Amino acid sequence: RKEVEQDPGPFNVPEGATVAFNCTYSNSASQSFFWYRQDCRKEPKLLMSVYSSGNEDGRFTAQLNRASQYISLLIRDSKLSDSATYLCVVNIPGGNNAGNMLTFGGGTRLMVKP
Amino acid sequence: EPEVTQTPSHQVTQMGQEVILRCVPISNHLYFYWYRQILGQKVEFLVSFYNNEISEKSEIFDDQFSVERPDGSNFTLKIRSTKLEDSAMYFCASRRTSGSREQYFGPGTRLTVT
């Protein structure tokens, strides 16, 4: 079973649409959760951290369900510039808490069309 | 805004050669990481580094690889006796403190082994 699983897409949506991505993770010891975005052949860029209570940053809303080991990202009013791959990322701390390796999902590709 | 920087942006080397990839983490960050991404695949953790020693390493990070912080600013990844399958994007990342989980990525070095 994959550690972090995402629908690879692509999701093709018109400008202004609302789109939702889902992600599941297998390791119940996971402590921190993130969404990163990655443009083609570029580095992952932190979009937002995901908190248990859910959090919002402008047009972006992230939710976490620890019981179901499920993370979601909602993008409202999609812009052309939102076109990218969205990476679901989970942090499993090391034994001495200094490691904190990130485990990445394969990403969900979003294409926003005019 | 401070950024992680990496050099070179692209490195071409012949099989069997040694390469050193360089990173300058964000200046007040204490935790450093290397990840790699083979073309078309997900980002994979290689190694984490804190207080001048390796905190954690993945199965990928075998004796062929080593990391070093030779001075107060640089963080390097050395790959000895490169193989064709080492061709990938190598990303350096840094994190500020133990209380902060977010990791920030550099632009990457694209390594091509011929």
Side-chain angles (χ1 to χ4, degrees), chain B residues 58-92:
Chain B
S58 70
E59 292 174 353
I60 303 168
F61 194 89
D62 59 20
D63 292 343
Q64 188 192 0
F65 295 87
S66 61
V67 290
E68 193 178 29
R69 187 153 162 85
D71 53 42
S73 59
N74 289 283
F75 178 51
T76 62
L77 174 69
K78 182 188 290 186
I79 309 174
R80 287 178 284 275
S81 190
T82 50
K83 300 176 279 197
L84 294 176
E85 53 265 38
D86 294 327
S87 295
M89 281 289 284
Y90 288 82
F91 295 110
C92 174

Short mmCIF file of all heavy atoms in Angstrom, two decimals, chain B residues 58-92:
data_model
loop_
_atom_site.label_atom_id
_atom_site.label_comp_id
_atom_site.label_asym_id
_atom_site.label_seq_id
_atom_site.Cartn_x
_atom_site.Cartn_y
_atom_site.Cartn_z
N SER B 58 17.30 7.47 4.19
CA SER B 58 16.43 6.47 3.58
C SER B 58 17.28 5.32 3.04
O SER B 58 18.51 5.39 3.02
CB SER B 58 15.60 7.10 2.47
OG SER B 58 16.43 7.42 1.37
N GLU B 59 16.58 4.32 2.54
CA GLU B 59 17.27 3.17 1.93
C GLU B 59 18.06 3.58 0.69
O GLU B 59 19.02 2.93 0.33
CB GLU B 59 16.23 2.11 1.55
CG GLU B 59 15.56 1.47 2.73
CD GLU B 59 14.44 0.53 2.30
OE1 GLU B 59 14.11 0.49 1.10
OE2 GLU B 59 13.89 -0.15 3.19
N ILE B 60 17.61 4.66 0.05
CA ILE B 60 18.30 5.13 -1.15
C ILE B 60 19.70 5.64 -0.78
O ILE B 60 20.65 5.48 -1.54
CB ILE B 60 17.51 6.27 -1.82
CG1 ILE B 60 16.09 5.83 -2.14
CG2 ILE B 60 18.23 6.77 -3.06
CD1 ILE B 60 15.18 6.97 -2.53
N PHE B 61 19.81 6.23 0.37
CA PHE B 61 21.05 6.89 0.80
C PHE B 61 22.02 5.84 1.31
O PHE B 61 22.17 5.63 2.51
CB PHE B 61 20.73 7.93 1.88
CG PHE B 61 21.86 8.88 2.15
CD1 PHE B 61 21.97 10.06 1.44
CD2 PHE B 61 22.80 8.62 3.15
CE1 PHE B 61 23.00 10.96 1.70
CE2 PHE B 61 23.83 9.50 3.41
CZ PHE B 61 23.92 10.67 2.69
N ASP B 62 22.69 5.17 0.35
CA ASP B 62 23.64 4.13 0.75
C ASP B 62 25.06 4.70 0.75
O ASP B 62 25.24 5.92 0.74
CB ASP B 62 23.50 2.93 -0.20
CG ASP B 62 23.74 3.29 -1.66
OD1 ASP B 62 24.38 4.35 -1.92
OD2 ASP B 62 23.30 2.55 -2.53
N ASP B 63 26.06 3.83 0.75
CA ASP B 63 27.45 4.27 0.87
C ASP B 63 27.92 5.12 -0.31
O ASP B 63 28.99 5.73 -0.24
CB ASP B 63 28.37 3.05 1.00
CG ASP B 63 28.16 2.33 2.31
OD1 ASP B 63 27.56 2.94 3.23
OD2 ASP B 63 28.56 1.15 2.42
N GLN B 64 27.15 5.14 -1.36
CA GLN B 64 27.50 5.94 -2.52
C GLN B 64 27.32 7.45 -2.22
O GLN B 64 27.89 8.31 -2.88
CB GLN B 64 26.57 5.53 -3.67
CG GLN B 64 26.89 6.12 -5.01
CD GLN B 64 25.76 5.90 -6.01
OE1 GLN B 64 24.74 5.30 -5.68
NE2 GLN B 64 25.95 6.39 -7.21
N PHE B 65 26.50 7.75 -1.23
CA PHE B 65 26.13 9.12 -0.93
C PHE B 65 26.78 9.59 0.37
O PHE B 65 26.97 8.80 1.30
CB PHE B 65 24.60 9.24 -0.75
CG PHE B 65 23.81 8.96 -2.00
CD1 PHE B 65 23.43 7.66 -2.30
CD2 PHE B 65 23.42 9.99 -2.83
CE1 PHE B 65 22.68 7.39 -3.45
CE2 PHE B 65 22.66 9.73 -3.97
CZ PHE B 65 22.30 8.43 -4.27
N SER B 66 27.07 10.88 0.44
CA SER B 66 27.49 11.47 1.70
C SER B 66 27.07 12.94 1.71
O SER B 66 26.86 13.55 0.66
CB SER B 66 29.01 11.35 1.91
OG SER B 66 29.71 12.03 0.89
N VAL B 67 26.92 13.47 2.91
CA VAL B 67 26.57 14.89 3.06
C VAL B 67 27.57 15.54 4.00
O VAL B 67 28.18 14.89 4.85
CB VAL B 67 25.14 15.10 3.60
CG1 VAL B 67 24.11 14.71 2.55
CG2 VAL B 67 24.92 14.33 4.89
N GLU B 68 27.66 16.86 3.83
CA GLU B 68 28.62 17.59 4.63
C GLU B 68 28.17 19.04 4.74
O GLU B 68 27.52 19.56 3.83
CB GLU B 68 30.00 17.54 3.94
CG GLU B 68 31.15 17.98 4.80
CD GLU B 68 32.48 17.87 4.06
OE1 GLU B 68 32.50 17.98 2.84
OE2 GLU B 68 33.49 17.69 4.74
N ARG B 69 28.49 19.63 5.86
CA ARG B 69 28.30 21.08 6.01
C ARG B 69 29.70 21.64 6.27
O ARG B 69 30.13 21.76 7.41
CB ARG B 69 27.36 21.37 7.15
CG ARG B 69 26.97 22.83 7.27
CD ARG B 69 25.61 22.93 7.93
NE ARG B 69 25.35 24.27 8.46
CZ ARG B 69 24.85 25.27 7.74
NH1 ARG B 69 24.59 25.10 6.47
NH2 ARG B 69 24.61 26.43 8.30
N PRO B 70 30.42 21.95 5.20
CA PRO B 70 31.85 22.29 5.32
C PRO B 70 32.11 23.64 6.00
O PRO B 70 33.19 23.86 6.52
CB PRO B 70 32.32 22.31 3.87
CG PRO B 70 31.10 22.58 3.06
CD PRO B 70 29.96 21.96 3.81
N ASP B 71 31.10 24.51 5.98
CA ASP B 71 31.27 25.81 6.63
C ASP B 71 29.92 26.24 7.17
O ASP B 71 28.99 25.43 7.21
CB ASP B 71 31.85 26.83 5.62
CG ASP B 71 31.02 26.90 4.35
OD1 ASP B 71 29.77 26.88 4.44
OD2 ASP B 71 31.60 26.94 3.27
N GLY B 72 29.79 27.50 7.56
CA GLY B 72 28.55 27.92 8.18
C GLY B 72 27.38 28.13 7.24
O GLY B 72 26.27 28.38 7.70
N SER B 73 27.63 28.01 5.92
CA SER B 73 26.53 28.31 5.01
C SER B 73 26.21 27.19 4.03
O SER B 73 25.06 27.00 3.68
CB SER B 73 26.81 29.61 4.26
OG SER B 73 28.01 29.50 3.52
N ASN B 74 27.21 26.45 3.59
CA ASN B 74 26.96 25.45 2.55
C ASN B 74 26.57 24.10 3.12
O ASN B 74 26.99 23.72 4.22
CB ASN B 74 28.21 25.28 1.69
CG ASN B 74 28.46 26.49 0.81
OD1 ASN B 74 27.80 26.67 -0.20
ND2 ASN B 74 29.41 27.33 1.22
N PHE B 75 25.78 23.38 2.34
CA PHE B 75 25.38 22.01 2.68
C PHE B 75 25.51 21.22 1.39
O PHE B 75 24.90 21.58 0.38
CB PHE B 75 23.95 22.02 3.22
CG PHE B 75 23.38 20.67 3.57
CD1 PHE B 75 24.07 19.79 4.38
CD2 PHE B 75 22.13 20.30 3.11
CE1 PHE B 75 23.55 18.56 4.72
CE2 PHE B 75 21.58 19.06 3.45
CZ PHE B 75 22.29 18.20 4.25
N THR B 76 26.33 20.18 1.38
CA THR B 76 26.62 19.50 0.12
C THR B 76 26.18 18.05 0.13
O THR B 76 26.14 17.39 1.19
CB THR B 76 28.13 19.55 -0.20
OG1 THR B 76 28.85 18.86 0.83
CG2 THR B 76 28.63 20.99 -0.29
N LEU B 77 25.87 17.56 -1.06
CA LEU B 77 25.58 16.14 -1.28
C LEU B 77 26.60 15.63 -2.27
O LEU B 77 26.73 16.16 -3.38
CB LEU B 77 24.16 15.96 -1.84
CG LEU B 77 23.78 14.54 -2.25
CD1 LEU B 77 23.65 13.63 -1.03
CD2 LEU B 77 22.45 14.53 -3.04
N LYS B 78 27.35 14.62 -1.86
CA LYS B 78 28.34 14.02 -2.75
C LYS B 78 27.81 12.66 -3.20
O LYS B 78 27.34 11.86 -2.37
CB LYS B 78 29.68 13.84 -2.04
CG LYS B 78 30.78 13.27 -2.93
CD LYS B 78 32.04 12.93 -2.16
CE LYS B 78 32.77 14.15 -1.69
NZ LYS B 78 34.08 13.80 -1.05
N ILE B 79 27.89 12.44 -4.49
CA ILE B 79 27.51 11.13 -5.04
C ILE B 79 28.74 10.55 -5.72
O ILE B 79 29.27 11.12 -6.68
CB ILE B 79 26.36 11.24 -6.06
CG1 ILE B 79 25.19 12.05 -5.48
CG2 ILE B 79 25.87 9.85 -6.47
CD1 ILE B 79 24.06 12.32 -6.48
N ARG B 80 29.21 9.44 -5.18
CA ARG B 80 30.40 8.79 -5.73
C ARG B 80 29.99 7.77 -6.78
O ARG B 80 28.91 7.19 -6.70
CB ARG B 80 31.17 8.08 -4.62
CG ARG B 80 31.90 9.01 -3.67
CD ARG B 80 32.59 8.22 -2.57
NE ARG B 80 31.62 7.75 -1.59
CZ ARG B 80 31.20 8.48 -0.56
NH1 ARG B 80 31.65 9.70 -0.39
NH2 ARG B 80 30.33 7.97 0.29
N SER B 81 30.88 7.58 -7.75
CA SER B 81 30.68 6.52 -8.74
C SER B 81 29.24 6.51 -9.27
O SER B 81 28.49 5.54 -9.09
CB SER B 81 31.02 5.16 -8.10
OG SER B 81 31.06 4.14 -9.06
N THR B 82 28.88 7.61 -9.92
CA THR B 82 27.50 7.79 -10.36
C THR B 82 27.07 6.71 -11.34
O THR B 82 27.88 6.19 -12.14
CB THR B 82 27.33 9.17 -11.03
OG1 THR B 82 28.36 9.35 -12.01
CG2 THR B 82 27.37 10.29 -10.01
N LYS B 83 25.77 6.39 -11.26
CA LYS B 83 25.15 5.40 -12.14
C LYS B 83 24.07 6.09 -12.97
O LYS B 83 23.60 7.17 -12.61
CB LYS B 83 24.52 4.29 -11.29
CG LYS B 83 25.52 3.56 -10.41
CD LYS B 83 24.84 2.53 -9.52
CE LYS B 83 24.25 3.22 -8.32
NZ LYS B 83 23.94 2.28 -7.22
N LEU B 84 23.69 5.44 -14.05
CA LEU B 84 22.65 6.02 -14.91
C LEU B 84 21.39 6.32 -14.10
O LEU B 84 20.74 7.37 -14.31
CB LEU B 84 22.31 5.07 -16.06
CG LEU B 84 23.41 4.81 -17.09
CD1 LEU B 84 22.95 3.78 -18.11
CD2 LEU B 84 23.83 6.10 -17.78
N GLU B 85 21.05 5.44 -13.18
CA GLU B 85 19.81 5.61 -12.41
C GLU B 85 19.88 6.71 -11.35
O GLU B 85 18.89 6.98 -10.68
CB GLU B 85 19.39 4.28 -11.76
CG GLU B 85 20.47 3.61 -10.93
CD GLU B 85 21.26 2.57 -11.70
OE1 GLU B 85 21.54 2.78 -12.91
OE2 GLU B 85 21.61 1.55 -11.09
N ASP B 86 21.05 7.34 -11.21
CA ASP B 86 21.15 8.51 -10.32
C ASP B 86 20.64 9.77 -11.01
O ASP B 86 20.51 10.82 -10.37
CB ASP B 86 22.60 8.72 -9.88
CG ASP B 86 23.11 7.60 -9.00
OD1 ASP B 86 22.31 7.01 -8.24
OD2 ASP B 86 24.32 7.29 -9.08
N SER B 87 20.36 9.70 -12.28
CA SER B 87 19.83 10.85 -13.01
C SER B 87 18.49 11.24 -12.40
O SER B 87 17.57 10.42 -12.33
CB SER B 87 19.66 10.52 -14.49
OG SER B 87 20.89 10.27 -15.10
N ALA B 88 18.40 12.49 -11.96
CA ALA B 88 17.20 12.96 -11.26
C ALA B 88 17.37 14.43 -10.94
O ALA B 88 18.44 15.01 -11.15
CB ALA B 88 17.00 12.18 -9.96
N MET B 89 16.28 15.03 -10.42
CA MET B 89 16.38 16.35 -9.79
C MET B 89 16.70 16.13 -8.33
O MET B 89 16.07 15.30 -7.67
CB MET B 89 15.06 17.11 -9.91
CG MET B 89 14.82 17.74 -11.25
SD MET B 89 15.89 19.14 -11.57
CE MET B 89 15.12 20.39 -10.55
N TYR B 90 17.66 16.85 -7.82
CA TYR B 90 18.02 16.77 -6.41
C TYR B 90 17.66 18.10 -5.75
O TYR B 90 18.14 19.15 -6.15
CB TYR B 90 19.51 16.46 -6.25
CG TYR B 90 19.82 15.02 -6.62
CD1 TYR B 90 20.01 14.66 -7.97
CD2 TYR B 90 19.90 14.03 -5.66
CE1 TYR B 90 20.26 13.35 -8.32
CE2 TYR B 90 20.16 12.71 -6.01
CZ TYR B 90 20.33 12.37 -7.34
OH TYR B 90 20.58 11.07 -7.68
N PHE B 91 16.79 18.00 -4.76
CA PHE B 91 16.33 19.19 -4.06
C PHE B 91 16.91 19.23 -2.65
O PHE B 91 16.88 18.23 -1.93
CB PHE B 91 14.80 19.19 -3.93
CG PHE B 91 14.07 19.31 -5.25
CD1 PHE B 91 13.36 18.23 -5.75
CD2 PHE B 91 14.06 20.50 -5.95
CE1 PHE B 91 12.67 18.33 -6.95
CE2 PHE B 91 13.38 20.61 -7.15
CZ PHE B 91 12.68 19.52 -7.65
N CYS B 92 17.39 20.38 -2.29
CA CYS B 92 17.80 20.65 -0.92
C CYS B 92 16.63 21.37 -0.24
O CYS B 92 15.91 22.15 -0.87
CB CYS B 92 19.03 21.54 -0.96
SG CYS B 92 19.60 22.15 0.64
#
